[in-house]
Amino acid sequence: MGRFKRTLAACALVTTMAAGTVGWAAGDMQTAVTGPPPGAAAAWTADHVLGRQLPDPAATAPARAAQFFAGLTAAQRELLAARHPLVVGSLDGAPPELRYTANTRALTAERDRELARTADPELSGGARRQARERAATYGRLLTPGHRVLAFDPRGRGQVVEVYGDLRTARRIAVVVPGSDTDLTSYTTAARMARNLRAEMARRAPADHPAVIAWVGYTTPVGVGYDAATGHLAEQGAPRLIRFLDGMAATTHPATPPAVFCHSYGSVLCGIAAHRLTGRQLSDLVVAASPGMRLDRAGQVPVGARLWAADRDPTDWVRRIPAVELFGLGHGADPTGSSFGARVVSSDRAEGHTGYFVPGTASLRNFADIALGRYRAVTCAHPAPDTAKGCHHGLS
């Protein structure tokens, strides 16, 4: 009876929160950007420069795309990247080095276009200011050392960046960020990825780790209707699945990547988990999660392990009710004892974005998980019914 009352109270809280936010948040509702840019995709499909039909960028499986590019000469691959940079640059299954080249061309073209907009007297001051911000972002991504694996200028913009070298990496990790992350504001996601790679390299330099910041979906803005529902996560989940399929087809680490999902990103990862397998990822790790729209850890793919960072006491996500009602809320708490995830310590982490900060137990644990050093992971203090801790069943 006590549990039933608590659930009713939580449901009432979710409903009250929704009623109070939907009105002002409706104007901030995002339209998800999915699929390749229509104009670029149409030009690609209509191009017979190689004397044959090019693979449909929206429908071709990444493994088939990888086979297509493997059958081309280097000159043919470069020709396609030059003619269709927006398509090749984000085509899962295309060789990563070719995608870097294509995205350099696409970023250069978009930077020049935005610079031209800054001098357009027909535009408002706000539009010119936004153009300057975009041009500056593109310019930073064009500086030496950046490896852009995907780029989409539509809407708020999306970008996928690699830290490290995918050709030599024996261990790869992917960071999926949460709300308020886009092309011009992904510095937090980038910092998470860089910090994780640095910790992995410090602990296992011979593995030449690479970490990818995957800003490949439309995220919610602020705390409103989008953040309280799963519709943006549902639109983004197929993109993550395709991306991981492309990684499996084009990279050859010692094991599949470990995927780290922060905040609303864990909602996306939970939805994607129903269609993922151990071939696509080795470990699924959530931090600052409001819920995964999963009832239990057993719903993640066979062969992959599900981990959750213990919630930092100063993280506001602790105040979110662990329920889902009428599409609002994201369900069970992944750190709860009944959920069944392997809960790891986040000692010294502070705030909602502090789990990837150097010196925290969470970052050390994340690095050990990504490196497959499971016995080195520090478990959170187990509850009586989870006394086996987070190491049970691991070698």
Side-chain angles (χ1 to χ4, degrees), residues 59-339:
T60 302
R64 293 293 300 273
Q67 292 174 357
F68 168 78
F69 281 100
L72 302 180
T73 66
Q76 288 173 325
R77 290 193 288 269
E78 290 292 334
L79 177 64
L80 291 179
R83 292 170 68 91
H84 307 283
L86 276 176
V87 172
V88 175
S90 296
L91 186 55
D92 295 311
E97 295 294 323
L98 184 66
R99 292 173 68 171
Y100 301 155
T101 299
N103 284 319
T104 296
R105 292 192 175 100
L107 282 162
T108 300
E110 288 297 319
R111 180 200 59 190
D112 294 346
R113 188 178 74 86
E114 294 296 343
L115 286 174
R117 284 168 52 82
T118 65
D120 186 348
E122 300 296 321
L123 295 179
S124 67
R128 291 197 298 272
R129 182 170 57 253
Q130 185 180 57
R132 283 194 295 273
E133 292 173 355
R134 284 261 179 151
T137 297
Y138 299 151
R140 287 192 294 270
L141 289 170
L142 286 168
T143 57
H146 285 274
R147 294 182 170 98
V148 178
L149 194 59
F151 164 63
D152 193 331
R154 293 177 294 167
R156 289 159 47 216
Q158 298 174 6
V159 63
V160 177
E161 187 169 3
V162 178
Y163 302 92
D165 192 339
L166 292 176
R167 294 171 299 183
T168 59
R170 287 180 47 79
R171 295 284 180 170
I172 297 174
V174 179
V175 175
V176 180
S179 298
D180 299 305
T181 311
D182 54 38
L183 183 63
T184 59
S185 64
Y186 83 110
T187 53
T188 299
R191 190 180 306 114
M192 289 177 180
R194 289 196 301 266
N195 288 348
L196 179 55
R197 178 177 180 267
E199 187 69 16
M200 291 171 67
R202 186 180 72 82
R203 300 174 86 78
D207 282 334
H208 306 289
V211 179
I212 301 167
W214 187 81
V215 188
Y217 77 109
T218 302
T219 68
V221 173
V223 181
Y225 179 79
D226 283 344
T229 66
H231 79 102
L232 290 179
E234 289 164 358
Q235 294 292 317
R239 304 198 89 178
L240 178 62
I241 294 167
R242 282 185 63 87
F243 174 75
L244 294 174
D245 282 341
M247 293 291 293
T250 58
T251 63
H252 305 284
T255 64
V259 179
F260 294 81
C261 315
H262 179 259
S263 192
Y264 190 84
S266 68
V267 182
L268 184 152
C269 290
I271 292 172
H274 294 286
R275 294 170 52 191
L276 291 170
T277 69
R279 183 184 65 84
Q280 295 155 303
L281 77 167
S282 60
D283 298 88
L284 186 61
V285 188
V286 299
S289 175
M292 300 179 68
R293 295 188 166 242
L294 297 176
D295 297 324
R296 61 189 185 282
Q299 292 174 278
V300 301
V302 175
R305 290 157 288 270
L306 176 60
W307 308 77
D310 195 24
R311 285 174 168 173
D312 159 43
T314 63
D315 186 352
W316 56 260
V317 82
R318 295 171 65 95
R319 300 194 296 270
I320 294 179
V323 296
E324 181 182 350
L325 177 68
F326 307 132
L328 296 170
H330 302 301
D333 173 8
T335 67
S337 59
S338 62
F339 191 82

